[in-house]
Amino acid sequence: MQLHPLDMAVIGGYLVLVISLGWLFSRRAGKDMNAYFLGGKSIPWYILGVSHGTAGFDISGTMWFVLMLTTYGVKGVWILWMWPMFAMVFRMMYLGVWIRRSNVLTGAEWMRTRFADGRGGNLAHMSVVAFALISVIGFLSMAFKGVGKFAEPFFPFDWTGDQYALVIMLVTAGYIIVGGMYSVVLTDLIQYVLLAISAVTLAVIAYQSVDPTALEVPEGWTIVLFGWQLDINWGPLIPELQGQIETDHSQL
């Protein structure tokens, strides 16, 4: 499957737009550290909320979530409540207020504000730095492989998945480095609009094109509640999928 020239034009236009926004806000972001990392604290909270929510979507996580939903049924929606949902709510509703009032730029700097400059504060500071480095490397690695695997079947160029991912990552790094927080938030808003339009469009197409009675799913797939056992058996329909479930279960 390859993208239509119109699709390629939309993608090209999007890349030009985000890079242009980065250069447009480079002067404003370059005023001082506060402007670069925090947008001068002038960005409304609801826009920051939309930006934060949009930043939670990536192609690797989306492919994984679709796989979980397909495999384990409607009850797969509960996966999002296992960790990220409560963590984001807590940060936005409680911790975010105190961090903003403290006038710090990073989570590591917040540790010094919280525990002072003594031994405890230094250890807390280093622990956050180490955690940030490890987690960022992990997130970038996951996104890198996911972007490459997703892009490879669609684009007409004879590139590997890693080459596609490298180009996309370089473009992303470019507008972030130039425009700072302003670029991040504005790009997230653009992505939110594109995601919303795409989601509604795909939902309408799926509703009009797919007969739900023709979908073969195992018993219990449509039940949102769950008990001690998942009771999902794909064996008669997709034996390979059932084998994957058993493999996942054995690794718990």
Side-chain angles (χ1 to χ4, degrees):
M1 177 181 178
Q2 291 188 353
L3 295 175
H4 189 275
L6 179 59
D7 298 320
M8 297 293 293
V10 171
I11 295 174
Y14 167 78
L15 294 177
V16 171
L17 176 61
V18 295
I19 293 174
S20 301
L21 287 174
W23 284 107
L24 179 64
F25 284 92
S26 60
R27 181 174 298 180
R28 181 183 298 184
K31 288 182 179 179
D32 51 41
M33 296 289 285
N34 184 68
Y36 186 82
F37 285 103
L38 302 178
K41 292 186 177 179
S42 60
I43 304 175
W45 64 269
Y46 49 88
I47 294 181
L48 291 173
V50 173
S51 173
H52 183 75
T54 307
F57 288 88
D58 70 288
I59 191 60
S60 300
T62 300
M63 289 190 294
W64 176 79
F65 179 67
V66 170
L67 174 63
M68 293 296 101
L69 186 63
T70 302
T71 303
Y72 297 108
V74 180
K75 57 178 61 66
V77 298
W78 293 105
I79 294 175
L80 289 176
W81 292 88
M82 292 169 56
W83 170 74
M85 191 68 69
F86 289 109
M88 288 188 292
V89 170
F90 180 79
R91 288 200 303 268
M92 288 188 292
M93 299 299 295
Y94 177 75
L95 187 59
V97 176
W98 294 104
I99 293 178
R100 190 177 183 92
R101 291 175 179 175
S102 68
N103 292 319
V104 300
L105 296 177
T106 65
E109 189 178 350
W110 163 254
M111 291 296 102
R112 293 192 185 278
T113 302
R114 183 179 180 185
F115 298 108
D117 290 328
R119 181 179 181 183
N122 291 332
L123 291 174
H125 180 272
M126 288 188 294
S127 68
V128 173
V129 171
F131 173 78
L133 288 174
I134 295 173
S135 60
V136 166
I137 291 174
F139 288 143
L140 286 176
S141 300
M142 180 180 177
F144 186 91
K145 298 304 293 185
V147 167
K149 289 182 179 295
F150 184 80
E152 192 171 5
F154 293 100
F155 288 95
F157 313 111
D158 189 21
W159 294 358
T160 64
D162 290 346
Q163 289 174 320
Y164 283 118
L166 181 61
V167 171
I168 295 173
M169 288 291 187
L170 287 175
V171 172
T172 303
Y175 72 75
I176 291 177
I177 292 173
V178 172
M181 187 65 172
Y182 292 107
S183 292
V184 173
V185 172
L186 285 174
T187 303
D188 284 341
L189 291 178
I190 295 172
Q191 291 176 355
Y192 177 81
V193 173
L194 294 176
L195 286 169
I197 294 174
S198 300
V200 173
T201 302
L202 289 174
V204 172
I205 293 174
Y207 183 81
Q208 295 176 343
S209 305
V210 179
D211 180 9
T213 60
L215 297 176
E216 293 187 274
V217 294
E219 184 178 357
W221 191 93
T222 58
I223 300 176
V224 68
L225 300 179
F226 59 90
W228 290 107
Q229 301 293 330
L230 288 173
D231 295 327
I232 297 292
N233 182 17
W234 281 98
L237 299 173
I238 308 178
E240 296 82 0
L241 192 55
Q242 184 63 29
Q244 185 61 51
I245 294 175
E246 295 173 357
T247 301
D248 294 341
H249 185 272
S250 65
Q251 295 175 351
L252 294 178

